[in-house]
Amino acid sequence: MIPFSPASSQLLLCLAANWDASVGRLQRFERLSAGPWVELGPAVPVTLGRAGLAWGRGLHPSMPGRAKGEGDGRAPAGIFAITALFGHAAPDSPFFRAAKLLYLVATRDLKCIDDPASVHYNRIVDQSIVAQSDWASCEDMRRSDERYAVGAVVAHNAEPAVPRAGSCIFLHVWAAPGVPTAGCTAMALADMTEVAGWLDGVAAPVLVQLPQVEYDRWREDWGLPVFAAHD
């Protein structure tokens, strides 16, 4: 059974060589109606969690094996909705006005809560309007570097969020080529900017992120396009 909606017409496919790989390749695909997936543009290099991948909580069925947990350094494997964009672009900027997905301006009050004890766990909140800040830790969405200059929210462990199942998973700008993340998927600024400008909420975009062995196992059942982690 295909885990995502037939209405989804944008797909980001990210493949890694194996479960422990901290790098991969990401390819955009789109389709008309329920037709075949068609590649769009070249595949781009990405970095993944420093410890590789583990099964996340998303649109796919629950899977046996290693499950992603808070702070494990692994990026989530599976199929996930992409629900919002974020970044430094101001509301009066051309990028903001052109965005086709909900855009969150990364102010200094914008936080992603990674404290499993918080009622806001795995949510992005504006702390200036939260009645009570009940978290001991969080991700600053306005950073001094470029990593969150532009990014997209990956709906891993989405509502209802399971405590300690992992939080604050994004597509964002990498620190440098080959430098792994704490669990997100990162790429060059130019590539992230192009992906963000392409994502369209009407197309119900999804991220499919898998090691090659699981992609080979599930590709036909899940209606995924042909692609390879390496040329």
Side-chain angles (χ1 to χ4, degrees):
M1 179 178 177
I2 297 175
F4 50 89
S5 169
S8 291
S9 57
Q10 287 186 332
L11 184 149
L12 286 172
L13 181 56
C14 180
L15 295 186
N18 53 61
W19 283 104
D20 297 321
S22 60
V23 297
R25 290 171 70 238
L26 181 129
Q27 176 68 56
R28 288 182 292 157
F29 289 86
E30 57 186 12
R31 65 181 178 181
L32 296 175
S33 186
W37 291 107
V38 178
E39 286 187 17
L40 181 64
V44 300
V46 297
T47 57
L48 304 168
R50 61 180 179 271
L53 296 162
W55 284 114
R57 297 186 66 246
L59 302 174
H60 57 283
S62 178
M63 294 293 188
R66 186 190 300 269
K68 176 161 177 58
E70 188 66 43
D72 63 0
R74 293 181 180 270
I79 302 179
F80 311 92
I82 301 173
T83 55
L85 303 174
F86 61 86
H88 294 174
D92 60 352
S93 68
F95 188 91
F96 183 97
R97 291 195 296 266
K100 299 185 289 291
L101 197 60
L102 172 68
Y103 187 89
L104 306 174
V105 178
T107 66
R108 297 196 182 282
D109 284 319
L110 198 67
K111 312 291 182 182
C112 188
I113 311 307
D114 58 13
D115 180 356
S118 171
V119 297
H120 303 289
Y121 178 64
N122 199 29
R123 295 179 187 167
I124 297 176
V125 302
D126 183 339
Q127 68 176 1
S128 69
I129 60 174
V130 172
Q132 182 177 2
S133 300
D134 66 344
W135 55 85
S137 64
C138 64
E139 282 274 346
D140 293 329
M141 298 303 293
R142 183 76 183 199
R143 297 173 58 112
S144 58
D145 56 29
E146 286 193 326
R147 294 189 206 179
Y148 288 1
V150 59
V153 178
V154 177
H156 157 72
N157 193 25
E159 304 289 351
V162 173
R164 301 192 180 281
S167 62
C168 306
I169 300 299
F170 308 127
L171 305 174
H172 65 77
V173 181
W174 60 22
V179 176
T181 71
C184 294
T185 300
M187 65 199 81
L189 175 60
D191 294 330
M192 186 65 247
T193 301
E194 185 167 5
V195 167
W198 170 72
L199 290 169
D200 187 340
V202 173
V206 293
L207 169 68
V208 178
Q209 186 161 264
L210 295 167
Q212 186 74 51
V213 64
E214 297 297 339
Y215 173 73
D216 292 341
R217 178 177 300 159
W218 296 107
R219 185 184 67 78
E220 291 189 9
D221 288 350
W222 289 357
L224 302 177
V226 175
F227 185 58
H230 301 283
D231 290 329

Coordinates of all heavy atoms in Angstrom, one line a residue, residues 89-99:
A89 N 14.5 35.3 5.7 CA 13.8 36.3 4.8 C 12.7 37.0 5.5 O 11.9 36.4 6.2 CB 13.3 35.5 3.6
A90 N 12.7 38.3 5.3 CA 11.7 39.1 6.0 C 10.3 39.1 5.3 O 10.3 38.7 4.1 CB 12.2 40.6 6.1
P91 N 9.2 39.4 6.0 CA 7.9 39.4 5.3 C 7.8 40.2 4.1 O 6.9 40.0 3.3 CB 7.0 39.9 6.4 CG 7.7 39.5 7.7 CD 9.2 39.7 7.4
D92 N 8.6 41.3 3.9 CA 8.5 42.1 2.8 C 9.5 41.7 1.7 O 9.7 42.5 0.7 CB 8.7 43.6 3.1 CG 10.1 43.9 3.8 OD1 10.8 42.9 4.1 OD2 10.4 45.0 4.0
S93 N 10.2 40.6 1.8 CA 11.2 40.1 0.9 C 10.6 39.4 -0.3 O 9.5 38.8 -0.2 CB 12.2 39.2 1.6 OG 11.6 38.0 1.9
P94 N 11.2 39.4 -1.5 CA 10.7 38.7 -2.6 C 10.6 37.2 -2.3 O 9.6 36.5 -2.8 CB 11.8 38.9 -3.7 CG 12.4 40.2 -3.3 CD 12.4 40.2 -1.8
F95 N 11.5 36.6 -1.6 CA 11.5 35.2 -1.3 C 10.2 34.9 -0.4 O 9.5 33.9 -0.7 CB 12.7 34.7 -0.5 CG 12.8 33.2 -0.3 CD1 13.5 32.5 -1.2 CD2 12.2 32.6 0.8 CE1 13.6 31.1 -1.1 CE2 12.3 31.2 1.0 CZ 13.0 30.5 0.0
F96 N 9.9 35.7 0.6 CA 8.8 35.4 1.4 C 7.5 35.5 0.5 O 6.6 34.6 0.6 CB 8.7 36.5 2.5 CG 7.6 36.3 3.5 CD1 7.7 35.6 4.7 CD2 6.3 36.8 3.2 CE1 6.7 35.5 5.6 CE2 5.2 36.6 4.1 CZ 5.4 36.0 5.3
R97 N 7.4 36.5 -0.3 CA 6.2 36.7 -1.1 C 6.0 35.6 -2.1 O 4.9 35.3 -2.5 CB 6.2 38.1 -1.8 CG 6.1 39.3 -0.9 CD 5.8 40.5 -1.6 NE 6.9 40.9 -2.5 CZ 7.9 41.7 -2.2 NH1 7.9 42.3 -1.0 NH2 8.8 42.0 -3.0
A98 N 7.1 35.0 -2.6 CA 7.0 33.9 -3.6 C 6.8 32.6 -3.0 O 6.6 31.6 -3.7 CB 8.3 33.9 -4.4
A99 N 7.0 32.4 -1.7 CA 6.9 31.1 -1.0 C 5.5 30.5 -1.2 O 4.5 31.2 -1.1 CB 7.2 31.2 0.5

